[in-house]
C-alpha cells in the first residue's frame, strides 16, 4: 500500500504541489514563531543576566517609609567596611539615574525611557570591572563623561568631543573622555548609558557621598553564603544583601515575563493560516478523489478492501504533509532570523531550534493534510464500485434542506446572537463572548457558503454579462456548477478578509479616537514633555519668560485630594493664558472664574459626583490640609485625554496646598504660529535640554497613534499569509477544474471560442470566487469590528465606529487582484488544450 501511495503521489505531483506549498507555508509560520520565541527568550535571559557572575554580593539601600521614602544609609564608610571583610576583593559603590544624551541636532539618542546614567568606580588599579574601554578612559573630572559604544556611534561622537547631557537636575555640556562596552546589568537594549565621575553622579542622581548599592567582588573559592552572613553583620539599617546569582535569577524572570506575547500572537496567526490551508487541502483531495473515482473503484473490484483503499489515500496525504513539513521547518528557521531583523529593538542571539518545535511542526504539518483529506475520502468510499465505474464524477450539490445547511444556519444565528449580546452587554467577559460567537458564526458561514454562492454569483451576473456576454455567462455557470467546491475555495478567502476587515475597522476607529483625544482640545502650537516620563516641576517652564512672543502655561498636577468626597487630581494652570492654549468647550459657567480663584470641572467628573456650577465643595488632602473650593465652570472633556484636566484650578490655588506639584506638560504658543524657527526658539529657551521634547500637534498625533499603527502593520503582514494561501486555493481549484473540463474546453474551442476567450472565461471564474470570499469576509469583518468596538465604548469615552471605506475597498481590490493573479497559470493551460485530444477524451 505504501508503494502504491508513493507511486500515486509522484503520478499526481503537479496537482499536489500547491497543497504541499500551502502546508509548507503554515509550518513555516509555526516554526518561525516558535523558533523566534525561544530565541528571544534565551537572548533576553542572557542579556538580563550578563555580568552578574562578576558580582558575588550586592548590597542595596532600601526606601525607609519612616524617613519620607529616603534610601538607607550607604556611604563611603560602609563601602570601606565591606571591602575589609574576609573574601572581598573590592567594593564598588554605585549610583544611577536618568541621563539623556543629545545628538548633534539636540535630539535624545536611543530609546528615551532607557537613557541611563551612572558612576565610574575605579578600583585600586584605576579600572572599573563593569566597563571595558575601547577608546580613552573613564571620567575623573566633573566636566567629563564616558559613553557606551553604541550611543557614541549613533551620535557620531569621538573622544574629546563636547556632548550635551540632560538629567533631572538640568542640562550641561561635557567633554567625552572615553567609549566603553558593558554588560546587561548596566545597559538596557536600545538605551544609552552615560558615565560620570563619582562625585558628579552622586550630586546628579542622589546626594553627595551616598550610594544606591554596593557591588562586592569576591576572591575565587569564597563561600558566597558565608560571605552574605558576614556582610549582613556590618550593614547599617535600611539596607539588604543578596547574592549575584539570586539577583540574576530575579532579573531573568522580569526580563522574560513579556517575551512570550509576540510569539503567542504569531502562533495564533499561524493557526489561522493553517485553518485556511485546510480548505485548500480538502478541496484538492475532493477533486483528486473525484478524478480518480474509476481508478479507486477498479482497485476495489479486483480485490482491494475499502479499508485498504482508504489507507492508500491517507498515506498519500501523509507523504505530502511530511515532505512539506520538512521544507517548512527549514524555511521557518529562516523566517525566525528575518523576524529578529524586523524587530530590531529585541536583542539578537543565535537561533534556537528545540526538539519540541520540531515535533510540533512535524505533527501539525503531517496530521493536517490527513484530517483535511478524511472527509473527501470517506465520501468517496461510500460510493459503490459498480456506480463509480459507471461515472467519472459524483458531486453533491448543496440543498436548502440538507443537514449541512441546517447546521450552518443554526450556527450563524447562534453566533450572531452571541456576538450581539457580547457587544451590547459590554461586561468584563464581553470580548470572550464575542470571540465565541465569532467562531460559531464563522463556522456556520463556512457551512452556508455553498448555498450562498448561487445568489451572490447571480447578483454579479448582470455585470459580467454586460462586460463579456458569452464569457461572463460561461464563467457564472462554471462557478455554480459545484457549490461545495466553490464554497470551500471562497471560505479560505473569506476568513482572511474577515481578519483584515475587522482589523481595519478597529484600527481606523482607534486612530480617530486618539487623534480627537490628543489634539482636538489643543490650541497651543507646542507641548513640552519629558523624555522617558521623567518628572518635571513648575520651575522647568520658568525660562520661557525670556522667550519673546511666547504664551505658555505649565500643567501642574497635584494629587491626594478628596474634593466633595471624590478622589480628585487638581491641575494648576495660568488663568490668563490657558484659554488660548487649551480649547475648553464650556457647557455651564465661565472659564473667567479661574481668575477669581474658583475651579473648572470636566463634565464626566461633575456628572459622576453630581456637582453643579456655584457649588462649594469641601477639600481634604492626605497631609490633613483642609479647605473649600467653588465650581465656576463645567466643560466637555474626554476622560482618556492626556491634556485636558478633570479638575482645572489656578496655579496659585494649587501652590497653596502643594509646594512641589508635578508638571505633566507645558503648553506653548508662539507669535506667527508653528515653524522650525519657533520650535528651535522654544528648545533653546529651555536650555537645549535633551530630557525635554518639544512636540507640535503632528508629533503628538504620531506619537499617540504610532503604537496602534505598528501593531496593525504587523497584523496585516501576518494576515497576508492567509491571503496568499487563499490565492493558492483559487489557483488549485481552477487548475483541477481545467483538468476535469478538458473535454468541455476542447468542445468550446471546436465551436469557435478562441484562446483569448477561454483565458477570459477562467479569469472571470477566479474573479467570481474572489468576489464571493471578499464580500462575505468584509461583511463579517465589519460586523466583528463593530462588536469589539462596542466593548471599548464603555471604558473609552468618545470612541466611535469608523468605517474606513478606502481601506476596505483596497483590501477587496487586493483580494480580487490576488484571485486574478492565481488564475494566470490555469487560464494559460486551459487556452492551450489540444482540441482533438480533448474532444476524444472519455
Amino acid at each position: 500500500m505504501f508503494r502504491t501511495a508513493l507511486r500515486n503521489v509522484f503520478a499526481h505531483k503537479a496537482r499536489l504541489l500547491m497543497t504541499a506549498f500551502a502546508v509548507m507555508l503554515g509550518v513555516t509560520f509555526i516554526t518561525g514563531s516558535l523558533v523566534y520565541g525561544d530565541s528571544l527568550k534565551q537572548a533576553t535571559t542572557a542579556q538580563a543576566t550578563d555580568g552578574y557572575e562578576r558580582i558575588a554580593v550586592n548590597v542595596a539601600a532600601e526606601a525607609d517609609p519612616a524617613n519620607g521614602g529616603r534610601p538607607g544609609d550607604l556611604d563611603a564608610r560602609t563601602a570601606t567596611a565591606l571591602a575589609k571583610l574576609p573574601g572581598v576583593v573590592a567594593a564598588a559603590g554605585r549610583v544611577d539615574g536618568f541621563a539623556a544624551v543629545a545628538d548633534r541636532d539636540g535630539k535624545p539618542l536611543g530609546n528615551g525611557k532607557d537613557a541611563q546614567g551612572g558612576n565610574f568606580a575605579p578600583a585600586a588599579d584605576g579600572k572599573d570591572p563593569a566597563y571595558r574601554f575601547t577608546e580613552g578612559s573613564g571620567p575623573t573630572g566633573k566636566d567629563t563623561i564616558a559613553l557606551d559604544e553604541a550611543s557614541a556611534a549613533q551620535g557620531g561622537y569621538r573622544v574629546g568631543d563636547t556632548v550635551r547631557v540632560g538629567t533631572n537636575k538640568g542640562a550641561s555640556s561635557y567633554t567625552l573622555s572615553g567609549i566603553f562596552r558593558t554588560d546587561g546589568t548596566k545597559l538596557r537594549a536600545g538605551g544609552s548609558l552615560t558615565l560620570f565621575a563619582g562625585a558628579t553622579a552622586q550630586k546628579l542622581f542622589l546626594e553627595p557621598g551616598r550610594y544606591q548599592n554596593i557591588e562586592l567582588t569576591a576572591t575565587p573559592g569564597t563561600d558566597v553564603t558565608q560571605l552574605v552572613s558576614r556582610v549582613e553583620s556590618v550593614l547599617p539599617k535600611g539596607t539588604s544583601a543578596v547574592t549575584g546569582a539570586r539577583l540574576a535569577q530575579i532579573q531573568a524572570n522580569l526580563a522574560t515575563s513579556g517575551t512570550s506575547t509576540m510569539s503567542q500572537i504569531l502562533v495564533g496567526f499561524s493557526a489561522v493560516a493553517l485553518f485556511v490551508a485546510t480548505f485548500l487541502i480538502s478541496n484538492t483531495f475532493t477533486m483528486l478523489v473525484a478524478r480518480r473515482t474509476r481508478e479507486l473503484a477498479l482497485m476495489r473490484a479486483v480485490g482491494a478492501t475499502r479499508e485498504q483503499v482508504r489507507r492508500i489515500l491517507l498515506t498519500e496525504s501523509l507523504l505530502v504533509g511530511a515532505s512539506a513539513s520538512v521544507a517548512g521547518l527549514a524555511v521557518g528557521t529562516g523566517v525566525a532570523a528575518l523576524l529578529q531583523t524586523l524587530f530590531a529593538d529585541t536583542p539578537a542571539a543565535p537561533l534556537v531550534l528545540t526538539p519540541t518545535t520540531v515535533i510540533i511542526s512535524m505533527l501539525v504539518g503531517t496530521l493536517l493534510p490527513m484530517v483535511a483529506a478524511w472527509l473527501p475520502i470517506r465520501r468517496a468510499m461510500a460510493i459503490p464500485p459498480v456506480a463509480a465505474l459507471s461515472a467519472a464524477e459524483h458531486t453533491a450539490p448543496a440543498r436548502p434542506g440538507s443537514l449541512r445547511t441546517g447546521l450552518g444556519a443554526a450556527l450563524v444565528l447562534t453566533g450572531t446572537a452571541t456576538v450581539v449580546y457580547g457587544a451590547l452587554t459590554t461586561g468584563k467577559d464581553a470580548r470572550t463572548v464575542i470571540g465565541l460567537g465569532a467562531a460559531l458564526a464563522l463556522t456556520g458561514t463556512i457551512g452556508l457558503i455553498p448555498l450562498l454562492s448561487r445568489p451572490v454569483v447571480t447578483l454579479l451576473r448582470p455585470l459580467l454579462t454586460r462586460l463579456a456576454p458569452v464569457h461572463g455567462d460561461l464563467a457564472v455557470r462554471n462557478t455554480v456548477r459545484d457549490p461545495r467546491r466553490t464554497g470551500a475555495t471562497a471560505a479560505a478567502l473569506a476568513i482572511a478578509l474577515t481578519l483584515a476587515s475587522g482589523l481595519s475597522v478597529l484600527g481606523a476607529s482607534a486612530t480617530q479616537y486618539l487623534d480627537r483625544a490628543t489634539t482636538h482640545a489643543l490650541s497651543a502650537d507646542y507641548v513640552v514633555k519629558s523624555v522617558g516620563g521623567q518628572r518635571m516641576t513648575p520651575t522647568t517652564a520658568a525660562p520661557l519668560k525670556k522667550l519673546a512672543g511666547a504664551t505658555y502655561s505649565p500643567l501642574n498636577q497635584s494629587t491626594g485630594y478628596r474634593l466633595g468626597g471624590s478622589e480628585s487630581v487638581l491641575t494648576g494652570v495660568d488663568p490668563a493664558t490657558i484659554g488660548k492654549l487649551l480649547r475648553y468647550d464650556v457647557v455651564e459657567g465661565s472659564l473667567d472664574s479661574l481668575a477669581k480663584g474658583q475651579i473648572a470641572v470636566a463634565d464626566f467628573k461633575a456628572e459622576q459626583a453630581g456637582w453643579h456650577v456655584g457649588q462649594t465643595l469641601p477639600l481634604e488632602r492626605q497631609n490633613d490640609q483642609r479647605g473649600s473650593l467653588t465650581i465656576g465652570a463645567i466643560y466637555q472633556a474626554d476622560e482618556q485625554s492626556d491634556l485636558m484636566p478633570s479638575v482645572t484650578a489656578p496655579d496659585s490655588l494649587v501652590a497653596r496646598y502643594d509646594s512641589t506639584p508635578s508638571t505633566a506638560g507645558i503648553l506653548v504658543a508662539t507669535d506667527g504660529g508653528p515653524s522650525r524657527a519657533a520650535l528651535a526658539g522654544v528648545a533653546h529657551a529651555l536650555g537645549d535640554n535633551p530630557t525635554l521634547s518639544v512636540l507640535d500637534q503632528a508629533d503628538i498625533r504620531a506619537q499617540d497613534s504610532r503604537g496602534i499603527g505598528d501593531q496593525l502593520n504587523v497584523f496585516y503582514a501576518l494576515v497576508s499569509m492567509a491571503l496568499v494561501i487563499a490565492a493558492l486555493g483559487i489557483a488549485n481549484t481552477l487548475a483541477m477544474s481545467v483538468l476535469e473540463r478538458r473535454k468541455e474546453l476542447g468542445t468550446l474551442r471546436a465551436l469557435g471560442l478562441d484562446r483569448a476567450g477561454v483565458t477570459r472565461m477562467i479569469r472571470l471564474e477566479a474573479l467570481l470566487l474572489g468576489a464571493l470570499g471578499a464580500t462575505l469576509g468584509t461583511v463579517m469583518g465589519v460586523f466583528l469590528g463593530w462588536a469589539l468596538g462596542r466593548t471599548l465604548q464603555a471604558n473609552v469615552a468618545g470612541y466611535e465606529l469608523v468605517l474606513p471605506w478606502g481601506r476596505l475597498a483596497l483590501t477587496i481590490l487586493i483580494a480580487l487582484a490576488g484571485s486574478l493573479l492565481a488564475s494566470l497559470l490555469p487560464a494559460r493551460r486551459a487556452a492551450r488544450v489540444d482540441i482533438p485530444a480533448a474532444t476524444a477524451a472519455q
Side-chain angles (χ1 to χ4, degrees), residues 207-220:
E207 295 176 10
R210 298 176 62 80
Y211 300 112
Q212 291 163 321
N213 62 291
I214 299 175
E215 297 172 353
L216 303 183
T217 306
T219 57

Side-chain angles (χ1 to χ4, degrees), residues 686-745:
L686 293 170
D688 292 320
N689 192 337
T691 67
L692 301 177
S693 291
V694 183
L695 309 173
D696 60 19
Q697 293 197 14
D699 292 331
I700 296 172
R701 190 180 298 113
Q703 189 178 73
D704 290 335
S705 61
R706 183 180 298 120
I708 289 180
D710 292 344
Q711 290 180 8
L712 284 176
N713 289 336
V714 172
F715 293 157
Y716 284 138
L718 299 176
V719 170
S720 65
M721 180 66 72
L723 284 171
V724 169
I725 296 176
L728 288 176
I730 293 175
N732 212 26
T733 297
L734 292 175
M736 298 295 290
S737 177
V738 167
L739 287 174
E740 292 176 357
R741 292 155 49 193
R742 288 182 70 250
K743 183 178 180 66
E744 172 190 325
L745 292 171

Side-chain angles (χ1 to χ4, degrees), residues 99-102 145 147 163-167 170-174 194 196 689-691:
V101 182
I145 60 165
L147 283 178
V163 183
R164 194 157 182 82
V165 181
T167 67
S172 298
S173 296
Y174 300 85
T194 307
F196 300 85
N689 192 337
T691 67

Side-chain angles (χ1 to χ4, degrees), residues 465-500:
T465 53
R466 177 172 299 180
L467 294 175
V470 176
H471 314 100
D473 185 66
L474 289 172
V476 169
R477 292 175 182 272
N478 291 330
T479 302
V480 299
R481 177 183 298 181
D482 190 339
R484 284 187 176 174
R485 181 189 301 174
T486 299
T489 305
L493 189 60
I495 295 170
L497 265 292
T498 298
L499 291 174

Side-chain angles (χ1 to χ4, degrees), residues 212 241 448 477 525 550 588 620:
Q212 291 163 321
L448 283 180
R477 292 175 182 272
D525 298 327
E588 188 178 355
E620 300 178 6

Side-chain angles (χ1 to χ4, degrees), residues 123-270:
D125 60 358
K127 297 180 180 180
D128 189 330
Y131 308 104
R132 302 175 298 281
F133 279 82
T134 58
E135 294 182 41
S137 59
T140 54
K142 64 178 182 179
D143 296 326
T144 60
I145 60 165
L147 283 178
D148 69 276
E149 197 172 40
S151 298
Q154 184 182 356
Y157 291 124
R158 302 294 300 271
V159 172
D161 287 350
T162 299
V163 183
R164 194 157 182 82
V165 181
T167 67
N168 291 333
K169 298 291 180 67
S172 298
S173 296
Y174 300 85
T175 299
L176 184 62
S177 67
I179 298 172
F180 60 86
R181 295 176 182 173
T182 187
D183 50 49
T185 64
K186 304 300 179 186
L187 180 60
R188 301 174 186 174
S192 61
L193 178 58
T194 307
L195 290 184
F196 300 85
T200 304
Q202 289 174 327
K203 181 179 178 181
L204 291 173
F205 303 131
L206 194 58
E207 295 176 10
R210 298 176 62 80
Y211 300 112
Q212 291 163 321
N213 62 291
I214 299 175
E215 297 172 353
L216 303 183
T217 306
T219 57
T222 301
D223 188 316
V224 178
T225 304
Q226 294 180 2
L227 180 58
V228 170
S229 299
R230 290 195 291 269
V231 168
E232 289 177 339
S233 66
V234 300
L235 286 184
K237 183 181 179 180
T239 59
S240 62
V242 64
T243 66
R246 176 58 181 161
L247 203 59
Q249 183 180 359
I250 293 172
Q251 293 300 318
N253 292 337
L254 291 173
T256 58
S257 60
T259 56
S260 60
T261 302
M262 180 56 72
S263 181
Q264 290 172 355
I265 292 174
L266 293 173
V267 170
F269 277 92
S270 302

